[in-house]
Amino acid sequence: MSEVSAAPAAPPAPAVARVRSRRARWYRQPTLMVGLVLLAIIVFMCYGAPLLTSYNPDTQNLLEPLAGIGQYGHLLGTDQEGRDTWARLLYGGQVDLRIAVIAVIFPFILGTILGSLAGYFGGWVDAIIMRIIDIVVAFPFFVLVIALVFVLGSGEKSIYIAITAVGWVSYARITRGEITVAKRQEYVLAAQSGGLSSVRIIGRHLLPNVITQSIVYAMSDIVQDILAIVTLSYLGLGVQPPTPDWGTMIAAGQNFLTTQWWLTTIPGLAVVLSGLALSLIGDGLADLLRAGTS
């Protein structure tokens, strides 16, 4: 009997090879890794607050107002109402990060859907959506968000509505541009020739190939949302007392800036570090994407 030699393994397809190469490189991106480590530390500290402090962030002690750092057993002292500043910093981070992440999801979904319709169908659908986008982008993001929350009333629900009403335009423009180019590719033309519905072509064939840019942008968009949430709370339009929040902490502590500087400075530093971590992640993902497509 003649031996049957095993056929040589076929080389991986170029797309598969690129994916494997990208997976092997992601942890070598210093910008991405620094951002991920910094964000992991911030998230652990905020959501691990019960492990890092025994104080309730809302409990007042009028016998210990404006305690100094380390005084009466308070790591960062107390505010003007005797509440532990360290506890309020950690639990306030939970609130701001949670709202910022959720506030990105809604405009991401809405913008992706509308951008997909505009890019794929073109014509009057594209014209209507782009005119709406032109109207929204004519106003500064923060001014429009503040105005909408002022009209809708303060609170978490108003923040979601305002950020969604303004923030979807960026995702729509990104998705529209990507799909306008991708729909001319051969695999899309083949799907159209095969009689597949437009919904299936967009959802199964186009979006998985163009959604990456929107995901990368979402990292920087979370930074913008954090700044918007803190600004709204600072103005008294966002998260309402006694719920801890970095914006309300900054606003309340500014009256004591010359004596208890940490009441304002440390929450502000927390906002900066959170924004830095997310910005580094966004830059790292963008570098990874460029390296994978080169």
Side-chain angles (χ1 to χ4, degrees), residues 127-139 168-169 173:
I128 292 176
I129 294 175
M130 290 306 297
R131 294 299 76 76
I132 297 174
I133 291 176
D134 291 339
I135 294 172
V136 175
V137 299
F139 301 91
W168 67 270
V169 297
R173 295 172 76 175

Side-chain angles (χ1 to χ4, degrees), residues 170-228:
S170 298
Y171 298 100
R173 295 172 76 175
I174 293 172
T175 307
R176 173 187 177 273
E178 294 288 330
I179 285 189
T180 300
V181 175
K183 71 178 183 180
R184 299 186 177 92
Q185 300 296 320
E186 292 183 357
Y187 69 92
V188 178
L189 298 176
Q192 292 173 339
S193 302
L196 297 182
S197 65
S198 299
V199 173
R200 185 170 183 180
I201 293 174
I202 294 174
R204 295 287 299 274
H205 300 282
L206 283 172
L207 279 181
N209 291 296
V210 304
I211 201 69
T212 308
Q213 292 287 355
S214 295
I215 294 175
V216 172
Y217 177 79
M219 293 296 103
S220 62
D221 200 26
I222 296 177
V223 178
Q224 183 173 249
D225 288 351
I226 290 177
L227 294 176

Side-chain angles (χ1 to χ4, degrees), residues 7-236:
V16 176
R18 284 197 300 269
V19 171
R20 291 178 179 174
S21 177
R22 191 179 303 172
R23 289 175 178 173
R25 282 198 308 266
W26 74 269
Y27 58 87
R28 299 178 185 174
Q29 290 281 347
T31 303
L32 179 60
M33 289 306 300
V34 171
L36 288 173
V37 171
L38 182 57
L39 182 62
I41 293 173
I42 294 172
V43 171
F44 170 76
M45 292 180 66
C46 291
Y47 284 89
L51 303 176
L52 300 176
T53 179
S54 59
Y55 288 98
N56 188 309
D58 299 329
T59 300
Q60 300 180 7
N61 186 352
L62 300 181
L63 299 177
E64 300 176 356
L66 299 175
I69 294 178
Q71 192 174 3
Y72 304 123
H74 299 282
L75 182 62
L76 294 179
T78 60
D79 62 8
Q80 67 273 23
E81 297 178 2
R83 297 173 297 191
D84 185 78
T85 304
W86 173 242
R88 291 185 64 79
L89 180 73
L90 298 181
Y91 285 97
Q94 286 186 18
V95 174
D96 288 336
L97 292 176
R98 172 177 55 80
I99 296 176
V101 172
I102 295 176
V104 163
I105 295 174
F106 295 136
F108 179 90
I109 295 174
L110 179 61
T112 300
I113 293 174
L114 294 178
S116 299
L117 297 176
Y120 185 78
F121 292 106
W124 64 269
V125 175
D126 183 38
I128 292 176
I129 294 175
M130 290 306 297
R131 294 299 76 76
I132 297 174
I133 291 176
D134 291 339
I135 294 172
V136 175
V137 299
F139 301 91
F141 176 84
F142 287 102
V143 173
L144 197 52
V145 168
I146 292 173
L148 287 174
V149 173
F150 181 79
V151 172
L152 295 171
S154 59
E156 190 172 327
K157 181 179 178 180
S158 297
I159 294 175
Y160 293 140
I161 296 174
I163 291 179
T164 301
V166 181
W168 67 270
V169 297
S170 298
Y171 298 100
R173 295 172 76 175
I174 293 172
T175 307
R176 173 187 177 273
E178 294 288 330
I179 285 189
T180 300
V181 175
K183 71 178 183 180
R184 299 186 177 92
Q185 300 296 320
E186 292 183 357
Y187 69 92
V188 178
L189 298 176
Q192 292 173 339
S193 302
L196 297 182
S197 65
S198 299
V199 173
R200 185 170 183 180
I201 293 174
I202 294 174
R204 295 287 299 274
H205 300 282
L206 283 172
L207 279 181
N209 291 296
V210 304
I211 201 69
T212 308
Q213 292 287 355
S214 295
I215 294 175
V216 172
Y217 177 79
M219 293 296 103
S220 62
D221 200 26
I222 296 177
V223 178
Q224 183 173 249
D225 288 351
I226 290 177
L227 294 176
I229 294 163
V230 171
T231 301
L232 289 169
S233 298
Y234 178 84
L235 297 174

